[in-house]
Amino acid sequence: MKIKRIAIGKIFDSKEFKELANEYWTEAQTLNIQAKPSREMYEILERGGRLKSAGLFTDSDKLAGFVVIVITPHLHYSIEIAHVDSLWLSKDYRKGQHGLKLLKEAEVIAREFGCPVINFSCPAGSRQEKLFEKLYRKADVSFVKNLI
């Protein structure tokens, strides 16, 4: 398994994307709204230098997971902050250190942007939350209410 920096379009265009995305939305759905990622907006952010992505590939070059980082200004602190927009690893590859490789790559990308902070979010009560509690400091709690 190897991590490769890739354009966001390569994730969308991969033959594994539909399966990975369905798995992701089934397990990580928090808004009770049909997921409809905007490839156009992802690519605009990427062209503007505000988004970087990486994929985790098998030895046969199959996309097994991905991480997407978006850099935004933090208006309270006048700094740039890295937000992990998407972090996903197929269930078939969750044994071993593969997920940690994606997390570490996210941190590397954030450092390359000069961000002093990286922000991860995940569904409450998920396996990801349990992992993040071991690796990171809990900073904020988020609440959601559907309005339509």
Side-chain angles (χ1 to χ4, degrees), residues 24 44 50 57 77 85 118 135:
Y24 176 67
I44 287 169
R50 309 303 285 177
F57 292 87
Y77 300 104
D85 172 74
I118 187 167
L135 300 173

Side-chain angles (χ1 to χ4, degrees), residues 6-147:
I6 54 175
I8 192 70
K10 297 270 187 193
I11 293 173
F12 278 96
D13 292 339
S14 74
K15 59 185 174 192
E16 296 84 20
F17 178 71
K18 188 173 183 176
E19 180 182 336
L20 286 171
N22 285 335
E23 200 176 277
Y24 176 67
W25 294 321
T26 298
E27 191 171 322
Q29 175 62 267
T30 58
L31 297 181
N32 297 323
I33 297 172
Q34 177 65 39
K36 185 180 172 190
S38 173
R39 179 179 180 149
E40 179 184 8
M41 289 306 298
Y42 278 102
E43 289 178 338
I44 287 169
L45 288 169
E46 185 175 59
R47 283 193 303 274
R50 309 303 285 177
L51 181 146
K52 292 285 183 193
S53 52
L56 181 69
F57 292 87
T58 66
D59 294 337
S60 61
D61 221 31
K62 177 182 175 184
L63 182 64
F66 54 86
V67 62
V68 179
I69 309 296
V70 177
I71 307 303
T72 62
H74 194 302
L75 302 178
H76 294 187
Y77 300 104
S78 300
I79 60 171
E80 298 281 303
I81 187 168
H83 291 276
V84 177
D85 172 74
S86 300
L87 171 68
W88 192 252
L89 181 60
S90 173
K91 289 179 183 182
D92 296 340
Y93 300 97
R94 291 186 185 169
K95 290 190 172 35
Q97 303 290 312
H98 305 308
L100 292 175
K101 286 180 185 178
L102 283 170
L103 290 173
K104 293 303 175 193
E105 186 65 16
E107 292 176 17
V108 168
I109 290 169
R111 283 189 191 97
E112 288 173 0
F113 272 103
C115 296
V117 175
I118 187 167
N119 181 43
F120 294 91
S121 65
C122 62
S126 67
R127 291 179 66 220
Q128 256 187 340
E129 181 181 21
K130 289 178 182 126
L131 176 62
F132 289 171
E133 285 175 342
K134 293 177 184 174
L135 300 173
Y136 302 105
R137 177 179 58 85
K138 190 179 237 180
D140 294 309
V141 177
S142 178
F143 298 90
V144 175
K145 178 181 181 181
N146 286 31
L147 300 175

